[in-house]
Amino acid sequence: MENSSSVSLLELNSQIKSCLHKGFMAPVWVRAEINQYNEHYSGHCYIELIEKGANTDSIQASVRATIWASAFRRIKAHFETSTGQCLSEGIKVLVRAHVDYHEVYGISLNIREIDPNYTLGDLARKRLETMRKLEATGIMDMNKELPFPVVPQRIAIISSLSAAGYEDFTNQMQQNKNKIHYYLKLFPATMQGSSVPLSIMAALDKVAEHERLFDVVVVIRGGGSKTDLSHFDDFDLAYYIAQFPLPVITGIGHEKDDPVIDYVAHTRCKTPTAVASYLLEFGIEFESELDWLNEKISSESKSLLVVEKQRLKDLSEGINASTKLYMEQAESLLREDLLQTEAATKQYLQQLNFSLNRLGDSLTLGSYQFLNRSQSYQEKMLYMVESAMQRRFEKENNRLQVLSKDAQFANPDNILKKGYSVSYYKGKAIKDPSEIDIGETIETRVYKGSFKSRLLE
Amino acid sequence: MDKKEISYTAAIKEIETILGKIENQELDVDELAGKLRRVTELIKTCKSKLHSAESEVDKILKEIGD
Amino acid sequence: MDKKEISYTAAIKEIETILGKIENQELDVDELAGKLRRVTELIKTCKSKLHSAESEVDKILKEIGD
Amino acid sequence: MDKKEISYTAAIKEIETILGKIENQELDVDELAGKLRRVTELIKTCKSKLHSAESEVDKILKEIGD
Amino acid sequence: MDKKEISYTAAIKEIETILGKIENQELDVDELAGKLRRVTELIKTCKSKLHSAESEVDKILKEIGD
Amino acid sequence: MDKKEISYTAAIKEIETILGKIENQELDVDELAGKLRRVTELIKTCKSKLHSAESEVDKILKEIGD
Amino acid sequence: MDKKEISYTAAIKEIETILGKIENQELDVDELAGKLRRVTELIKTCKSKLHSAESEVDKILKEIGD
């Protein structure tokens, strides 16, 4: 029962081996990170590959891998020349491998090829990530914003005695043509290998202790491979440098290199020599500025004196000229005043004379006019009296004529003419016959006379 | 009343009074002749006054004219 | 009233008064000649005043002229 | 008023007042000569003032000229 | 006023004031000669001041020139 | 004011002020000579200051030159 | 000497201030020589600082390593 339902370990492992070989006939391309790396003296290379979680460092998968000596030399040379980077722990790789299974050692990958392009891409990405992270901290420009001394004369050097470029730098500084004195102090640090960041930071710590003694810090290291220089891409180092209280000047690697710390440094130079030239320039410039100022102040002082001399001369001349003008003007003003007074007085007198004469004329004319008007008024009055009288006489004449006519009209003879007669008795006109006795004589008047008659009845 | 003593204005007034009465037939035939006689007298007087005034005025004016 | 004593202005005023009366028939015909005589007298006075004023004015003005 | 005591300006003013009256016929003919005489006196005064002023002015100006 | 005591500027001002009055005929003829005399005095004062200033000024200016 | 105590600039300013007054005819003739005398003093002071400054500047510049 | 004591920056600033005043003629002639002396001193100090080693600084720097 046991025999039929169970297998021996060897049988099992043999079955697994056969299954795996069936399932992974061809080699596979696997992306992984090198976790452990060990070059065996025998020429083989033993590696542990892992895969970490997307955002964590926890290992999600791991496998052993081997590169046999026969392949390793080729693979390593190709990889390192292509990437400028050593095969080492922490780098990501794309490997072409057979899945091998050994009954005793278990599963392992037999690496036949490593694609350097993948790793290259990964390095670039890593560098980019570091840059982004730095950017996010907002301290990228902190060191750049530090005031730079007029002449950086006290220089703390972070480098190592053995580092390429160190000696060039010190020689260049100390033997400068302008004979400017520089105070150089080396703060040794490892400039190669993975301990670079920590070592440099330790050296910087020391500089920081004596901050007041120094004007600037230079970090220099000449030459080096890509992998050597990749340690200068370290985030922590960059973070430290950015916040360093003194201006940091970098001169790392070759012309074409630009490690991350270049970006946070106050000033980046390509090489240690370039750093020296850069620093020397300040002294040269300052000295020439001093010379220039010296000349300038000399010439300005002289010209100030010249200007003042001229000013004094001008003022003297101005005083001279304007005083003369003043006197002339005062004199001519007096002359003018006198002339004007003279003219005005004469004109005034003339005017008065003229007015008086005119008054005399007006008087003559007025007097005669007065007399003439009086006379003509008088004549007019006489004439008016005369004509008023004339009118009166005419009027009275008319009136008398009218009255005469009226009187004539009233004369009784006019009635008698028409045959009427008036009879009188005892001198009185008879109006009632009974008043007269029969036989009495009455007198009757007719137009052409009168006659007497006796009353018969 | 002496004719010399009555003024021109008064004479005229009397004439006009008498003539007024005649026109209004206020006078008797017996009085009429008398009154008429008075009127002609008065008129004569007036005329004479007027003439003498006129001639005197002329004389005066002539004097001034000289 | 002595003609020497009436002023020129008063004389002229009197003439104007008389003229007014004539025009308004306030004078009796009998008075006319008399008033005219007065007027001529007044005018004579005025003329004389005027003449004397004139000659004096002439004299004075001649003095100024000199 | 003594002619020495009236100022030139006052004299001129008086002359002008009288002249105004003459021109506006505001004077009695009787007064004319009198007023005129006053005016001539005033004018004479003014002329004399003027002449003396003139000669003095001339003198002063001559003095300065020297 | 003593001519030594009036300042040049005040003198000039006074001259111009009087001149203004003459030009505007604000002066009485009676005052004219007196004022003119004042003006000539003032001018004389000014001239004398000016001359004395001038000789002193010449001397000083010569010193500056050296 | 003692000429040693006035600064060069103040002296120049004072000279310019006086010059301005002369140019604008703001000075009384009476003051002119006095002000001019002041100006000559000031100019003298300035010249002396200028000379001493000059010789000192020369000395300093010579020192540098060496 | 502490490097803060007379920094190059302060020296340059002082020199430029003085130079600016001279250029703008803001400097009194009286001050000129003194200021010029100050400037030459500052320049001398700067140059000496630039060229000669300060033994004290060297000593301190040497001590750090130990």
Side-chain angles (χ1 to χ4, degrees):
Chain A
M1 208 40 200
E2 262 186 40
N3 278 353
S4 64
S5 61
S6 62
V7 290
S8 74
L9 178 59
L10 182 60
E11 280 168 352
L12 173 65
N13 282 3
S14 298
Q15 275 172 35
I16 292 171
K17 186 175 181 175
S18 126
C19 278
L20 278 173
H21 279 183
K22 268 180 217 156
F24 297 97
M25 294 275 279
V28 290
W29 284 99
V30 180
R31 300 187 306 272
E33 184 178 326
I34 297 173
N35 195 34
Q36 285 176 26
Y37 177 83
N38 183 18
E39 284 180 33
H40 199 259
Y41 64 88
S42 59
H44 308 308
C45 179
Y46 300 103
I47 294 172
E48 187 191 29
L49 293 174
I50 57 166
E51 181 170 347
K52 283 179 179 167
N55 295 312
T56 64
D57 271 352
S58 67
I59 296 171
Q60 311 238 312
S62 95
V63 70
R64 286 182 294 111
T66 316
I67 312 173
W68 300 119
S70 57
F72 181 60
R73 230 171 298 132
R74 174 182 53 83
I75 288 171
K76 180 181 160 89
H78 176 61
F79 183 84
E80 290 190 350
T81 49
S82 301
T83 61
Q85 163 92 39
C86 290
L87 275 172
S88 56
E89 289 159 4
I91 65 171
K92 284 193 175 167
V93 286
L94 175 62
V95 302
R96 185 164 162 272
H98 270 290
V99 181
D100 273 348
Y101 189 82
H102 189 275
E103 290 83 349
V104 176
Y105 305 110
I107 198 162
S108 80
L109 299 181
N110 176 9
I111 295 172
R112 305 292 184 80
E113 243 178 278
I114 299 179
D115 183 353
N117 289 323
Y118 177 78
T119 305
L120 259 184
D122 179 59
L123 281 175
R125 189 180 47 72
K126 248 191 185 162
R127 204 169 160 281
L128 195 68
E129 264 170 20
T130 307
M131 293 287 276
R132 284 216 180 108
K133 215 164 138 196
L134 279 171
E135 205 89 64
T137 59
I139 56 159
M140 286 283 278
D141 292 329
M142 261 177 88
N143 198 261
K144 290 188 182 65
E145 283 159 5
L146 288 177
F148 203 79
V150 175
V151 181
Q153 215 173 347
R154 300 146 196 255
I155 300 160
I157 306 168
I158 309 262
S159 191
S160 78
L161 277 172
S162 61
Y166 170 70
E167 213 176 296
D168 290 344
F169 177 82
T170 51
N171 284 342
Q172 212 175 329
M173 293 303 287
Q174 276 159 354
Q175 289 160 19
N176 70 86
K177 272 192 293 187
N178 297 69
K179 298 191 172 153
I180 293 168
H181 183 82
Y182 289 97
Y183 304 91
L184 304 179
K185 177 73 188 176
L186 176 67
F187 290 84
T190 310
M191 299 307 275
Q192 196 156 12
S194 56
S195 57
V196 163
L198 282 175
S199 175
I200 291 180
M201 282 191 267
L204 282 172
D205 275 342
K206 237 181 202 169
V207 176
E209 275 171 38
H210 306 283
E211 181 202 333
R212 284 165 56 83
L213 286 174
F214 295 100
D215 294 326
V216 295
V217 181
V218 301
V219 180
I220 47 175
R221 181 215 192 273
S225 68
K226 277 256 185 228
T227 318
D228 286 343
L229 298 182
S230 72
H231 301 298
F232 294 92
D233 289 337
D234 185 71
F235 173 81
D236 290 338
L237 180 59
Y239 191 75
Y240 193 97
I241 286 176
Q243 298 179 86
F244 199 71
L246 287 172
V248 177
I249 300 154
T250 55
I252 310 286
H254 301 288
E255 292 284 329
K256 57 178 180 176
D257 297 318
D258 54 347
V260 168
I261 62 166
D262 273 3
Y263 290 92
V264 294
H266 185 283
T267 304
R268 58 195 277 198
C269 296
K270 288 297 182 189
T271 61
T273 315
V275 174
S277 301
Y278 174 74
L279 291 176
L280 288 173
E281 199 53 44
F282 286 93
I284 294 167
E285 219 165 84
F286 182 63
E287 195 162 20
S288 74
E289 189 181 354
L290 284 179
D291 290 341
W292 182 81
L293 284 173
N294 199 359
E295 258 171 51
K296 184 86 178 158
I297 202 103
S298 302
S299 68
E300 288 297 337
S301 298
K302 280 181 195 160
S303 81
L304 177 80
L305 290 170
V306 170
V307 166
E308 289 305 328
K309 239 183 206 168
Q310 185 61 42
R311 192 211 293 256
L312 267 186
K313 205 174 152 211
D314 289 349
L315 281 175
S316 293
E317 283 170 6
I319 288 280
N320 213 312
S322 54
T323 303
K324 278 178 182 158
L325 191 67
Y326 177 92
M327 298 301 284
E328 272 168 29
Q329 271 174 359
E331 224 153 35
S332 83
L333 184 71
L334 273 184
R335 257 200 311 275
E336 236 168 72
D337 275 350
L338 181 59
L339 283 176
Q340 229 171 320
T341 306
E342 210 176 312
T345 307
K346 281 185 172 162
Q347 205 194 346
Y348 186 33
L349 288 171
Q350 242 171 20
Q351 175 77 28
L352 288 172
N353 244 323
F354 180 72
S355 303
L356 258 190
N357 285 339
R358 230 187 24 197
L359 272 181
D361 289 348
S362 299
L363 215 56
T364 307
L365 188 69
S367 297
Y368 284 122
Q369 242 170 26
F370 181 89
L371 290 170
N372 278 340
R373 281 194 205 132
S374 298
Q375 170 135 14
S376 63
Y377 189 65
Q378 206 173 269
E379 279 166 8
K380 187 176 152 200
M381 288 315 288
L382 180 59
Y383 170 75
M384 280 176 76
V385 168
E386 210 180 308
S387 57
M389 284 200 171
Q390 230 65 264
R391 279 198 302 276
R392 182 70 193 276
F393 286 135
E394 244 169 71
K395 199 171 173 194
E396 291 306 329
N397 267 321
N398 282 341
R399 184 197 287 204
L400 282 179
Q401 235 168 346
V402 170
L403 288 176
S404 295
K405 244 182 215 162
D406 286 354
Q408 216 161 355
F409 194 70
N411 198 334
D413 288 352
N414 288 331
I415 301 168
L416 298 182
K417 223 180 205 171
K418 292 172 185 170
Y420 292 96
S421 62
V422 183
S423 296
Y424 297 88
Y425 174 61
K426 287 183 180 169
K428 277 196 170 177
I430 302 163
K431 288 164 193 167
D432 183 0
S434 64
E435 286 173 9
I436 311 165
D437 297 328
I438 305 263
E440 287 292 317
T441 304
I442 58 172
E443 192 179 4
T444 301
R445 266 201 75 192
V446 297
Y447 176 60
K448 288 212 170 152
S450 61
F451 53 89
K452 290 193 178 153
S453 49
R454 197 158 292 153
L455 188 69
L456 296 176
E457 41 178 307
Chain B
M1 204 198 296
D2 190 290
K3 72 170 179 180
K4 288 285 163 205
E5 283 182 43
I6 193 168
S7 78
Y8 181 89
T9 309
I12 291 293
K13 202 155 223 166
E14 197 179 338
I15 293 166
E16 281 169 349
T17 308
I18 295 170
L19 284 178
K21 282 188 178 167
I22 294 172
E23 270 173 25
N24 297 331
Q25 316 223 340
E26 282 170 29
L27 281 184
D28 212 303
V29 174
D30 301 326
E31 291 171 288
L32 187 60
K35 286 295 180 188
L36 268 179
R37 195 158 311 118
R38 175 73 184 150
V39 163
T40 50
E41 255 170 42
L42 285 168
I43 285 176
K44 215 184 286 169
T45 305
C46 282
K47 277 189 175 166
S48 133
K49 272 175 184 279
L50 206 53
H51 283 304
S52 76
E54 257 174 324
S55 64
E56 213 174 335
V57 162
D58 280 347
K59 212 180 88 197
I60 293 162
L61 291 179
K62 219 174 169 185
E63 281 172 22
I64 300 174
D66 294 346
Chain C
M1 205 195 296
D2 189 292
K3 72 170 181 180
K4 286 289 160 202
E5 282 182 40
I6 194 168
S7 79
Y8 185 92
T9 310
I12 289 294
K13 202 155 228 166
E14 195 178 337
I15 293 170
E16 283 169 347
T17 308
I18 292 171
L19 175 59
K21 283 191 177 167
I22 296 172
E23 280 176 342
N24 297 327
Q25 313 203 2
E26 284 170 28
L27 282 183
D28 197 290
V29 170
D30 304 332
E31 295 173 287
L32 281 178
K35 286 296 179 188
L36 184 62
R37 194 164 298 281
R38 175 71 185 152
V39 166
T40 56
E41 261 168 33
L42 288 168
I43 282 179
K44 224 183 277 170
T45 305
C46 284
K47 272 195 176 159
S48 128
K49 275 171 183 283
L50 213 51
H51 281 306
S52 74
E54 212 165 6
S55 63
E56 222 174 327
V57 164
D58 279 347
K59 213 179 87 195
I60 295 163
L61 292 179
K62 215 174 168 189
E63 281 172 20
I64 302 177
D66 294 346
Chain D
M1 205 194 298
D2 189 294
K3 74 172 178 176
K4 286 288 158 204
E5 282 181 41
I6 193 169
S7 79
Y8 188 90
T9 310
I12 289 293
K13 200 157 228 167
E14 195 178 336
I15 294 170
E16 281 170 349
T17 307
I18 295 173
L19 177 58
K21 283 192 178 167
I22 293 174
E23 281 174 344
N24 297 326
Q25 216 85 9
E26 283 169 24
L27 280 184
D28 197 301
V29 170
D30 304 333
E31 295 174 285
L32 181 64
K35 290 289 180 186
L36 198 59
R37 194 164 297 283
R38 170 75 184 148
V39 166
T40 54
E41 261 168 37
L42 288 168
I43 287 179
K44 224 183 280 172
T45 305
C46 286
K47 276 200 174 159
S48 126
K49 275 168 184 282
L50 210 52
H51 282 307
S52 74
E54 251 165 356
S55 62
E56 217 173 332
V57 162
D58 281 347
K59 211 180 86 196
I60 294 163
L61 293 180
K62 215 173 167 189
E63 278 170 24
I64 303 174
D66 295 345
Chain E
M1 204 192 299
D2 189 294
K3 73 173 178 175
K4 285 290 157 203
E5 281 180 42
I6 193 169
S7 79
Y8 188 89
T9 309
I12 289 291
K13 200 157 228 167
E14 195 178 336
I15 292 170
E16 280 169 358
T17 306
I18 295 173
L19 175 57
K21 281 191 180 169
I22 297 175
E23 280 176 344
N24 298 327
Q25 319 206 342
E26 286 168 24
L27 282 184
D28 198 290
V29 170
D30 305 331
E31 298 172 283
L32 187 62
K35 288 290 179 186
L36 187 63
R37 191 167 296 283
R38 174 75 185 146
V39 166
T40 56
E41 262 166 34
L42 288 167
I43 286 178
K44 226 182 279 172
T45 305
C46 286
K47 272 195 177 161
S48 123
K49 275 167 183 283
L50 210 53
H51 284 306
S52 73
E54 214 162 11
S55 60
E56 215 172 335
V57 161
D58 280 347
K59 219 178 77 197
I60 297 163
L61 291 181
K62 221 172 167 188
E63 280 172 30
I64 300 180
D66 296 344
Chain F
M1 202 191 302
D2 189 293
K3 73 173 179 175
K4 286 289 157 203
E5 282 180 41
I6 194 169
S7 79
Y8 182 89
T9 309
I12 289 290
K13 200 156 230 167
E14 196 178 335
I15 295 171
E16 282 171 348
T17 306
I18 295 173
L19 176 57
K21 282 191 179 170
I22 296 175
E23 279 173 348
N24 298 326
Q25 217 87 8
E26 283 169 24
L27 277 186
D28 197 300
V29 168
D30 305 333
E31 298 173 285
L32 186 63
K35 288 289 180 188
L36 272 184
R37 199 165 293 287
R38 173 77 184 145
V39 165
T40 52
E41 262 167 37
L42 289 167
I43 287 180
K44 229 182 274 172
T45 305
C46 287
K47 274 190 180 165
S48 125
K49 275 167 184 284
L50 210 54
H51 283 307
S52 72
E54 212 167 9
S55 61
E56 221 173 329
V57 163
D58 280 347
K59 212 180 86 195
I60 295 163
L61 294 182
K62 217 174 167 190
E63 279 169 25
I64 303 173
D66 296 344
Chain G
M1 201 198 299
D2 189 295
K3 71 168 177 174
K4 295 283 163 198
E5 207 169 306
I6 175 85
S7 74
Y8 292 132
T9 314
I12 288 289
K13 196 162 219 167
E14 194 178 338
I15 293 170
E16 280 174 349
T17 306
I18 294 172
L19 185 57
K21 279 193 181 167
I22 297 178
E23 277 174 339
N24 298 327
Q25 317 203 349
E26 285 168 23
L27 205 64
D28 199 298
V29 168
D30 303 332
E31 298 173 282
L32 183 64
K35 290 291 180 186
L36 184 63
R37 191 169 296 284
R38 172 73 184 150
V39 167
T40 55
E41 265 167 29
L42 285 168
I43 289 176
K44 219 188 279 174
T45 306
C46 285
K47 282 212 166 175
S48 125
K49 243 176 93 116
L50 214 50
H51 290 293
S52 44
E54 289 164 44
S55 53
E56 216 175 321
V57 176
D58 280 336
K59 210 180 97 197
I60 293 167
L61 290 182
K62 219 170 181 186
E63 279 167 6
I64 293 174
D66 305 338

